[in-house]
Amino acid sequence: MRSSKTVHVISAHAEGEVGDVIVGGVAPPPGDTLWDQRSFIARDQTLRNFVLNEPRGGVFRHVNLLVPPKHPEADAAWIIMEPEDTPPMSGSNSICVSTVLLDSGIIPMKEPETHMVLEAPGGLVRVRAECRNGKAQRIFVQNLPSFADKLSVPLEVSGLGTITVDTAYGGDSFVVVDAQTLGFAIVDHEARDIARLGVKITNAANEQLGFSHPENPDWDHISFCAFCGPLSETETGLSGKSAVAIQPGKVDRSPTGTAVSARMALMAAKGLMKPGQTFEAVSIIGSRFTGRILDTAQIGGRPAIVPEISGRGWITGIHQHMLDPDDPWPGGYRLSDTWGV
């Protein structure tokens, strides 16, 4: 077999959401900081197209690039590539990366717990992994500080009229809607409708509400729409279903760690949740992340929380993506039947 490039990947998923990890074959991108490196990948598009576009990728796939850390405290660093964005942080991808680092032996595993500091483009995240019999059983991630942005504001959506939404940041930016009000129970057969409507709501929110991170002006848009179901009380806090619509039109199979963080920030801002309590988030396929408010914080002078999310990840395979020099589609392709473009 001949190939002009070979990219080595360990595939994984976290509670149902694919988060493959590039472990070799790609040189670190240029940049003095991890954010600079992330921005180069976002602008250049070459690596994103190669691993995310068909025939190697698909709208369901996220891919993470391991790079040497820039921060002296970090044990490893990674850059997240999602179908449309190259974001500051991702909960499901942080769980996939942690699982791959430990289960593959890139970072030595210590039982019963391994502690790591990982560097995401948006900042440091601290990881605690419960390990047993050579497997990282559950990953706990101290996420980036998260905050409520706009509470109970009107949004005009074509075909829906005026709805009431919140916006928040949980390592990525969200417009949050009440699923029940919009007629959704968050069950599997609703996935296509949630995905399509979620993209429409996200686009409307960017046009009418906007978003700007107070400490990172480069992050100036709303990425996702989170459909949140009713809350119920548990012995340690609250539980509820949710589904996140991801551009260009899919539903996250996991409960979305950044959405869990954003929702906890909203609940804290509304007086529904306080430090020490837990939030059990249930996805459209029934998988679960557990969130916890560890502490309070300040981001750009506004109240924030320090969230922890936890979930499970599994390795699904090892791949070598190759490029035949005669392949007429070296950057791959996207079609509207699945990509919605």
Side-chain angles (χ1 to χ4, degrees), residues 25-319:
V26 177
D32 293 332
T33 67
L34 201 64
W35 187 261
D36 290 342
Q37 292 179 305
R38 166 258 160 218
S39 299
F40 173 86
I41 284 177
R43 289 192 309 269
D44 178 71
Q45 292 287 310
T46 303
L47 179 62
R48 285 182 49 87
N49 288 341
F50 184 74
V51 295
L52 291 174
N53 288 356
E54 299 171 42
R56 296 166 195 85
V59 71
F60 64 92
R61 190 181 301 282
H62 299 190
V63 182
N64 303 279
L65 173 64
L66 291 183
V67 293
K70 297 289 188 179
H71 196 286
E73 287 185 49
D75 299 300
W78 90 104
I79 296 166
I80 309 134
M81 292 174 282
E82 296 180 344
E84 287 292 317
D85 275 322
T86 312
M89 173 56 183
S90 166
S92 64
N93 284 294
S94 67
I95 292 170
C96 287
V97 167
S98 299
T99 300
V100 166
L101 287 171
L102 293 173
D103 286 7
S104 70
I106 295 173
I107 288 181
M109 181 183 293
K110 297 176 183 177
E111 299 185 13
E113 283 190 347
T114 305
H115 293 258
M116 302 182 289
V117 178
L118 303 184
E119 187 177 7
L124 293 182
V125 296
R126 301 184 185 277
V127 174
R128 173 171 61 91
E130 293 178 347
C131 302
R132 187 172 66 253
N133 298 325
K135 170 78 180 82
Q137 300 284 339
R138 189 169 191 88
I139 307 295
F140 296 78
V141 179
Q142 181 177 312
N143 194 8
L144 303 179
S146 304
F147 56 88
D149 185 32
K150 295 179 174 66
L151 297 178
S152 300
V153 295
L155 180 68
E156 185 72 26
V157 181
S158 173
L160 278 182
T162 302
I163 62 173
T164 300
V165 304
D166 301 321
T167 60
Y169 180 83
D172 209 334
S173 38
F174 289 84
V175 56
V176 179
V177 301
D178 184 271
Q180 199 170 49
T181 299
L182 296 178
F184 293 107
I186 310 179
V187 290
D188 54 4
H189 71 265
E190 298 172 338
R192 178 177 292 186
D193 291 337
I194 288 173
R196 289 177 174 174
L197 182 58
V199 168
K200 185 183 287 189
I201 292 172
T202 302
N203 292 339
N206 275 309
E207 292 169 5
Q208 298 170 43
L209 303 176
F211 175 83
S212 180
H213 192 284
E215 294 183 354
N216 183 0
D218 285 350
W219 204 252
D220 58 0
H221 69 274
I222 293 169
S223 295
F224 307 123
C225 178
F227 292 75
C228 293
L231 295 169
S232 59
E233 291 189 7
T234 68
E235 290 185 1
T236 56
L238 297 164
S239 178
K241 296 185 78 172
S242 60
V244 170
I246 299 175
Q247 300 272 16
K250 62 156 279 190
V251 171
D252 195 329
R253 275 60 173 155
S254 81
T256 313
T258 49
V260 172
S261 301
R263 191 174 184 184
M264 290 194 297
L266 287 168
M267 289 191 286
K270 296 176 180 181
L272 300 174
M273 192 174 177
K274 58 188 179 182
Q277 289 186 305
T278 63
F279 171 57
E280 190 85 2
V282 184
S283 79
I284 198 167
I285 66 168
S287 60
R288 295 170 182 264
F289 283 163
T290 300
R292 189 160 62 102
I293 299 178
L294 298 179
D295 203 353
T296 57
Q298 291 280 319
I299 294 293
R302 67 175 70 189
I305 64 166
V306 178
E308 178 190 72
I309 53 174
S310 70
R312 301 166 300 168
W314 297 270
I315 288 175
T316 60
I318 298 174
H319 305 280

